[in-house]
């Protein structure tokens, strides 16, 4: 059974909102009135033991903002907001401004002639153990001439590892990390035998 890590989802959401707010404030301090190009992504992380967590990252790109003139303003804005900053050597010896605060990480680098302010919320563990993804097929959604997969009963995920790919920290022998039900290949349904459809 799955066990929800208490308050973790809310904690994750608060951290994401705070990172968004603070990086936008830094961008606004560096180039007032310029709307940065924003990219965001949320990744799921799964451990072999079946825990599930989420990680969030975002980047704000300010066009035509040379690092040389903008980095100091960015550092000031971070420090004013209570972040700890540090100048480092980035990839290829390029300068890099690092900022950290309460477990959040941010960095400022040059991206061509643009300035890139990025940050992340490190993985927050949401579930103490694996939750099987929802069924892919139910009676109401079956294709004509099809029935629920006899092996997985419509789940679509492997019946042994429930779609995690691992059993007791070992690769699942049933699906071999395929994670889909090997019988229906993840569709959750199969042609009704003898129905003459899909053969
Ligand atoms: Zn199946
Ligand atoms: Zn499996």
């Amino acid at each position: 059974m799955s066990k929800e890590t208490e308050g973790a989802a809310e904690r994750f959401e608060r951290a994401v909102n705070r990172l968004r707010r603070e990086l936008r404030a830094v961008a606004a301090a560096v180039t007032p009135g310029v709307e940065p190009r924003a990219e965001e992504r949320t990744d799921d992380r799964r451990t072999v033991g079946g825990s599930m967590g989420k990680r969030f990252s975002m980047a704000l790109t300010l066009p035509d903002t040379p690092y040389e003139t903008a980095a100091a303003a960015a550092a000031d804005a971070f420090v004013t907001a209570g972040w700890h900053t540090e100048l480092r050597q980035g990839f290829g010896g390029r300068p890099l401004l690092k900022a950290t605060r309460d477990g959040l990480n941010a960095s400022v680098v040059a991206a061509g002639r643009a300035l890139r302010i990025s940050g992340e919320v490190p993985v927050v563990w949401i579930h103490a153990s694996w939750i099987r993804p929802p069924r892919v097929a139910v009676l109401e959604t079956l294709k004509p001439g099809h029935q629920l997969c006899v092996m997985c009963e419509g789940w679509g995920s492997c019946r042994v590892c429930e779609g995690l790919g691992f059993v007791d920290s070992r690769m699942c022998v049933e699906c071999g990390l395929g994670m889909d039900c090997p019988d229906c290949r993840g569709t959750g349904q199969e042609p009704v035998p003898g129905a003459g459809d899909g053969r």
Side-chain angles (χ1 to χ4, degrees), residues 7 16 71-72 74 80 85 87 91-92 110 115 120 146 150 156 169 194:
V16 166
T80 304
T85 60
L87 276 170
F91 184 73
L115 189 76
E120 65 154 9
H146 282 63
V150 174
S169 303

Side-chain angles (χ1 to χ4, degrees), residues 158-167 172-180:
C158 169
R159 69 196 165 91
V160 175
C161 67
E162 301 196 335
L164 179 63
F166 296 92
V167 178
C172 172
V173 289
E174 177 77 7
C175 66
L177 278 184
M179 297 176 274
D180 285 342

Side-chain angles (χ1 to χ4, degrees), residues 96-180:
L96 167 77
L97 173 70
K98 274 258 173 216
T100 49
R101 185 193 164 186
D102 301 335
L104 301 178
N105 305 318
S107 61
V108 179
V109 290
R113 296 174 57 214
L115 189 76
R116 194 173 160 87
I117 303 171
S118 52
E120 65 154 9
V121 176
V123 183
V124 172
W125 296 105
I126 310 266
H127 293 292
S129 58
W130 176 250
I131 295 181
R132 192 174 196 178
R135 285 171 192 271
V136 294
V138 290
L139 285 174
E140 293 75 37
T141 61
L142 287 175
K143 289 190 286 185
H146 282 63
Q147 62 184 17
L148 289 178
C149 169
V150 174
M151 293 313 290
C152 69
E153 297 170 325
W155 285 92
S157 47
C158 169
R159 69 196 165 91
V160 175
C161 67
E162 301 196 335
L164 179 63
F166 296 92
V167 178
D168 297 333
S169 303
R170 299 261 166 101
M171 188 174 87
C172 172
V173 289
E174 177 77 7
C175 66
L177 278 184
M179 297 176 274
D180 285 342

